[in-house]
Amino acid sequence: MLSLCGLVACASTACDDKNDPLPPVGPADGPKVTLTAGETTPSTVSFSITPSDAAACAYMMLAEDQPVPSAAVILSDGVEAESKQSTPVTLRGLVPETTYVVVAAVTDGKTSASSEPLRLTCLLYTSPSPRDRQKSR
């Protein structure tokens, strides 16, 4: 019982903010990357990748049911993207009425971070009506 009380006393003093010499590290520190949806068509999806404080950036497109990989896997196996500025991306040759998931990751050489997954759905392909075909002639 005495050792448990000693452990509690030790733990409570170690968590005291006045005794903590290191500043807290929060989500505001380190590199970041965001994805912004763009236009979709029956066979394309568009989005923008916006990194900040990054030395490297990459993205991956996944099927909706695939698990999202770690930042390290995205950076090593993904498609390299610009790390210093926002970049528009258009992916072509996709399947209509299919949802895809895009994820991106960045690193500053010390730490890495992933974006929130961005879900993009290709539109339904509709053939032009006879009336629309007559207009285009």
Side-chain angles (χ1 to χ4, degrees):
M1 181 74 163
L2 180 60
S3 61
L4 180 59
C5 292
L7 180 60
V8 171
C10 177
S12 67
T13 58
C15 294
D16 185 3
D17 289 339
K18 295 176 188 172
N19 294 331
D20 191 0
L22 298 174
V25 176
D29 298 333
K32 293 178 189 47
V33 61
T34 57
L35 297 172
T36 305
E39 292 184 30
T40 60
T41 72
S43 63
T44 65
V45 295
S46 297
F47 58 93
S48 293
I49 304 171
T50 305
S52 63
D53 301 321
C57 180
Y59 70 90
M60 291 179 112
M61 182 181 70
L62 311 165
E64 186 177 28
D65 59 350
Q66 284 183 282
V68 175
S70 68
V73 170
I74 297 168
L75 287 163
S76 67
D77 298 346
V79 178
E80 188 175 341
E82 177 61 49
S83 64
K84 302 297 180 196
Q85 64 187 15
S86 182
T87 304
V89 177
T90 299
L91 302 175
R92 302 178 193 296
L94 305 177
V95 178
E97 293 189 87
T98 303
T99 298
Y100 297 93
V101 176
V102 178
V103 290
V106 290
T107 184
D108 61 5
K110 298 176 193 168
T111 60
S112 58
S114 297
S115 68
E116 289 294 320
L118 177 64
R119 285 176 169 64
L120 299 166
T121 302
C122 288
L123 300 175
L124 171 65
Y125 178 77
T126 56
S127 60
S129 70
R131 183 176 171 175
D132 290 336
R133 278 185 249 150
Q134 288 177 350
K135 286 181 185 178
S136 65
R137 289 183 186 174

